[in-house]
Amino acid sequence: MDVLSDLLHRARATNAQIRQLIQRPPWAMTFADAPPLTVVATLGGRASVRLDDDPGAAPVRLAAGDIALVSGTARYTIADSPDTPPQMVVRDGRKHLIDAGAPAQQPLAPRTYGDGLPGATALLRGAYEIRGEVGERLLRTLTPLAVVPAGPRTRAVLELLAAETAHEAPGQDAVLERLLDLVLVLALREWCARPDARVPSWHRALAAPAIGEALRLLHENPGHRWTVAELAAKVGQSRATFAAHFTAAVGEPPLGYLTGWRMTLAADRLRDTDRTVAAVAREVGYEDAFAFSTAFKRARGASPAHWRRAHRSA
């Protein structure tokens, strides 16, 4: 499994919420308790997205087929135009009217709301509850508002997702979640391929055949007792050449990257499971629980037991 697939798989959250809005201008909705990651796609018409947590951030306009990935913000506004003031606030899953003259929000079909009249803007919104250290690692590949222009590959999937959103059939939730996952993966690919995208160095390193293969091996089996020599042999390079190329591409030595990835996995296991510290240590490649605790405290600033108590209560 490649690194991006591994991150998406481990950070995957169930119960993704998918809604379609078909609304004539003027309209504007503020989401006051945004999830860690939201996918907003314009199916028809035009829209804009504004990050309300960042007063200096300019609204970004979306044309038909554009996809916006919103992350790292607790409050944002979607509107037909940047000039339209918010007419309603969505908080805790409930709509609260600000403007008595707000446009109708009647149900039009399953998961579809608005007025559905000619000239309306059609939007899809999918919300992910991504949690944990792996989720944070995934979100660091994005800026708070990443916009992917319309393209033939994403357009075809968006059309299918829109059709399924307004449909009701057995297994519908599973179909919708997988289609939304596909939209997310395609959008992430497009975003990370942009020359101006500020993505982590490990992501750019995936394009280097030997380094990408080494990263895949580390993610596929993080508990293995890897050595630099073994990794170099696996990818067909000398030890010195591999170590130099890996460090230059990723920004840290191979075993330094492995330690960071193990600590990420360990943090999520400590928070989400009742496994003992010794069991977690073994799962991420440490036979000695004391050595694991030392490494974890160095990386997270607290012992595994203290970190678990603090983050479970939080």
Side-chain angles (χ1 to χ4, degrees):
M1 183 181 295
D2 66 81
V3 177
L4 183 57
S5 296
D6 190 33
L7 289 177
L8 287 164
H9 174 72
R10 294 179 187 273
R12 175 77 174 86
T14 57
N15 301 320
Q17 296 182 357
I18 305 170
R19 299 290 183 268
Q20 185 171 200
L21 175 70
I22 306 176
Q23 194 77 64
R24 283 186 308 166
W27 59 269
M29 302 175 64
T30 293
F31 294 85
D33 51 359
L37 177 62
T38 303
V39 180
V40 179
T42 310
L43 302 175
R46 292 182 177 273
S48 73
V49 181
R50 182 181 69 241
L51 303 182
D52 298 326
D53 286 347
D54 185 356
V60 176
R61 294 183 181 270
L62 303 178
D66 289 352
I67 299 172
L69 303 177
V70 184
S71 62
T73 184
R75 186 182 180 96
Y76 65 92
T77 297
I78 307 175
D80 67 297
S81 167
D83 302 324
T84 304
Q87 298 160 328
M88 64 185 71
V89 176
V90 179
R91 184 183 293 110
D92 297 327
R94 299 178 65 86
K95 297 183 181 71
H96 305 272
L97 291 182
I98 300 174
D99 182 353
Q105 285 283 306
Q106 61 190 17
L108 301 175
R111 309 173 191 84
T112 304
Y113 302 88
D115 56 35
L117 297 175
T121 295
L123 286 174
L124 278 175
R125 176 181 176 270
Y128 280 92
E129 289 293 342
I130 290 178
R131 299 176 58 227
E133 300 273 321
V134 174
E136 288 296 322
R137 198 178 182 102
L138 172 64
L139 294 179
R140 283 197 291 271
T141 64
L142 297 168
T143 59
L145 178 55
V147 176
V148 177
R153 299 187 69 190
T154 54
R155 186 178 297 114
V157 181
L158 287 176
E159 290 174 355
L160 182 56
L161 180 58
E164 288 290 333
T165 300
H167 187 60
E168 199 68 83
Q172 197 69 25
D173 288 339
V175 171
L176 289 171
E177 287 184 1
R178 281 156 180 78
L179 285 174
L180 184 61
D181 285 346
L182 180 55
V183 171
L184 174 61
V185 171
L186 293 176
L188 282 171
R189 279 183 185 171
E190 295 293 327
W191 170 257
C192 293
R194 292 164 55 112
D196 59 337
R198 297 193 303 269
V199 298
S201 54
W202 61 258
H203 188 277
R204 296 199 184 280
L206 297 177
I211 309 306
E213 174 64 10
L215 287 168
R216 184 191 67 79
L217 290 169
L218 294 177
H219 277 253
E220 194 172 78
N221 192 0
H224 181 71
R225 302 188 70 177
W226 292 106
T227 64
V228 176
E230 183 181 7
L231 282 168
K234 291 280 188 181
V235 300
Q237 292 186 345
S238 71
R239 184 186 184 283
T241 298
F242 168 73
H245 287 176
F246 189 102
T247 302
V250 179
E252 58 183 329
L255 298 188
Y257 179 91
L258 175 61
T259 298
W261 179 233
R262 284 172 168 176
M263 295 303 106
T264 296
L265 297 177
D268 282 351
R269 281 170 167 76
L270 288 167
R271 189 199 61 222
D272 296 335
T273 74
D274 292 323
R275 294 181 178 91
T276 64
V277 171
V280 171
R282 287 192 296 272
E283 288 175 10
V284 298
Y286 288 82
E287 292 297 328
D288 184 352
F290 179 78
F292 164 71
S293 296
T294 301
F296 190 90
K297 186 172 183 178
R298 186 184 304 117
R300 294 294 186 268
S303 69
H306 281 87
W307 195 94
R308 166 178 271 170
R309 285 195 294 269
H311 286 76
R312 281 196 169 179
S313 61

